[in-house]
């Protein structure tokens, strides 16, 4: 009888002294955020958008085509920047989940070389490059151990500021895409409406000059509309996903000294559900 009562109590005391705790909420937050951060479809669309727009300009409009060529070159640089952001946030979140599960954190070993190359090519400012490097450095010396909570607190403490910088940079680029998408759609619609008008123009005999061409242009216009509508829905939800990841990590940082409190973990679980809901909406829209 005595043993059956005291063993759970002894176990609880041992766990308390060793610093171990059920940090599944942090694990789930890390894994969910890693999935959200690794979603690159919208970033790829953003980079390819100028070339896509060029396909819907008339060959004679050389000024517009030249402008889009310049924009496309600029976005190739942003492509390298975005790739690093996606990869670094995902790597950080997975490593955070590893540590919360009392496993040795495994940060992406290739990121440093990617960052150095991007900084050398001036695709990343030194400030942003340092923010990405800091995410990996946050795990320097962090090991799965009986001091799990202390390790997590230190990682979160060192990583929060650079993580917020990276997430803000991703958000700014996605907001730029939302703005350029409106322009792209307007160009797409205008191009096809012009073709429709030209095809429906009547000749001297009163019949349309190019009825088949007009119908094809109309069909392409209608086929293209859903893709724009899908991206228009997805972009703000992806921005929301990123912002919620940043807000949840900020909350962990603010409460890092009581990281195992049930109140803190319950709030994080709620925030993780919100991240999941936003990310599911992104995938459904895309």
């Amino acid at each position: 009888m005595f043993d059956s009562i005291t063993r759970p109590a002894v176990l609880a005391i041992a766990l308390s002294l060793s610093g171990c705790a059920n940090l599944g909420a942090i694990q789930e937050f890390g894994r969910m955020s890693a999935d959200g951060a690794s979603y690159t479809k919208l970033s790829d669309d953003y980079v390819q958008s100028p070339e896509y727009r060029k396909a819907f300009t008339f060959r004679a409009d050389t000024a517009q085509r030249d402008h889009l060529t310049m924009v496309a070159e600029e976005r190739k640089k942003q492509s390298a920047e975005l790739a690093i952001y996606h990869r670094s946030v995902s790597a950080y979140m997975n490593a955070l989940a590893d540590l919360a599960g009392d496993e040795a954190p495994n940060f992406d070993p290739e990121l440093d070389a990617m960052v150095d190359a991007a900084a050398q090519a001036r695709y990343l400012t030194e400030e942003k490059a340092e923010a990405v490097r800091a995410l990996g450095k946050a795990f320097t010396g962090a090991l799965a151990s009986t001091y799990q909570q202390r390790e997590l607190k230190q990682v979160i403490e060192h990583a929060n500021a650079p993580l917020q910088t990276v997430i803000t940079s991703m958000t700014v680029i996605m907001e730029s895409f939302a703005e350029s998408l409106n322009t792209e759609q307007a160009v797409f619609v205008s191009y096809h409406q012009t073709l429709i008008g030209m095809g429906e123009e009547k000749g001297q005999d009163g019949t349309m000059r190019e009825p088949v061409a007009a119908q094809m242009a109309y069909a392409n216009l209608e086929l293209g509309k859903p893709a724009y509508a899908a991206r228009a829905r997805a972009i703000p939800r992806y921005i929301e996903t990123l912002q919620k990841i940043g807000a949840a990590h900020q909350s962990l940082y603010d409460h890092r000294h009581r990281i195992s409190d049930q109140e803190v973990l319950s709030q994080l679980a709620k925030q993780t559900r919100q991240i999941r809901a936003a990310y599911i909406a992104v995938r459904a829209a895309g």
Side-chain angles (χ1 to χ4, degrees):
M1 180 71 172
F2 178 78
D3 287 345
S4 66
I5 295 174
T6 57
R7 280 175 186 167
V10 170
L11 180 59
I13 292 171
L15 288 171
S16 175
L17 291 174
S18 69
C20 294
N22 181 5
L23 300 175
I26 298 178
Q27 283 182 277
E28 183 63 20
F29 163 63
R31 300 297 183 213
M32 184 66 251
S33 297
D35 285 348
S38 65
Y39 184 72
T40 62
K41 184 178 185 301
L42 291 172
S43 296
D44 294 341
D45 287 349
Y46 171 73
V47 172
Q48 295 163 7
S49 175
E51 291 293 347
Y52 188 74
R53 282 171 58 187
K54 194 189 292 186
F56 298 108
T57 58
F58 291 98
R59 188 168 55 182
D61 193 353
T62 55
Q64 178 65 7
R65 293 175 67 81
D66 289 346
H67 169 71
L68 288 172
T69 297
M70 291 175 58
V71 173
E73 287 302 313
E74 183 62 30
R75 289 198 185 175
K76 285 179 183 177
K77 298 177 184 178
Q78 289 181 311
S79 176
E81 181 181 358
L82 278 165
I84 288 171
Y85 292 158
H86 283 291
R87 193 160 171 172
S88 62
V89 176
S90 184
Y92 169 76
M93 288 298 175
N94 272 321
L96 187 69
D98 289 341
L99 193 57
D102 212 19
E103 300 175 21
N106 182 25
F107 197 81
D108 191 335
E110 298 178 359
L111 259 174
D112 276 347
M114 287 178 64
V115 172
D116 290 344
Q120 187 173 5
R122 300 184 183 276
Y123 295 162
L124 277 179
T125 65
E126 188 53 42
E127 179 185 4
K128 291 178 180 177
E130 191 52 41
V132 175
R133 292 189 188 103
L135 292 178
K137 290 177 183 176
F139 290 96
T140 302
L143 299 170
S145 70
T146 55
Y147 301 102
Q148 176 192 30
Q149 292 175 48
R150 184 192 67 184
E151 299 281 358
L152 277 168
K153 188 193 84 164
Q154 290 178 344
V155 166
I156 291 165
E157 193 170 74
H158 293 150
N160 188 61
L163 179 70
Q164 301 300 337
T165 295
V166 172
I167 287 177
T168 297
S169 297
M170 293 176 77
T171 300
V172 167
I173 294 176
M174 286 297 100
E175 288 172 342
S176 296
F177 187 25
E179 294 174 7
S180 70
L181 185 63
N182 292 330
T183 301
E184 181 182 319
Q185 184 172 12
V187 169
F188 175 81
V189 171
S190 176
Y191 175 81
H192 284 89
Q193 286 179 338
T194 300
L195 290 180
I196 293 168
M198 291 168 63
E200 291 180 340
E201 186 178 310
K202 293 183 179 180
Q204 292 181 352
D205 60 359
T207 61
M208 288 190 294
R209 291 182 181 277
E210 296 287 347
V212 175
Q215 181 57 40
M216 288 179 64
Y218 175 78
N220 286 335
L221 176 60
E222 292 303 304
L223 285 171
K225 286 180 180 178
Y228 284 106
R231 282 187 287 176
R233 290 191 302 269
I235 293 170
R237 296 315 299 268
Y238 191 58
I239 291 172
E240 180 184 357
T241 302
L242 294 173
Q243 290 174 334
K244 286 187 179 298
I245 290 171
H249 195 278
Q250 181 65 47
S251 181
L252 268 182
Y253 173 81
D254 293 340
H255 300 98
R256 63 193 182 279
H257 297 296
R258 51 189 190 95
I259 203 168
S260 63
D261 284 11
Q262 191 56 48
E263 181 185 355
V264 173
L265 295 175
S266 294
Q267 175 62 22
L268 183 63
K270 179 181 177 182
Q271 290 173 306
T272 300
R273 289 193 294 272
Q274 293 171 347
I275 294 168
R276 181 180 291 105
Y279 183 50
I280 287 173
V282 173
R283 298 296 296 265

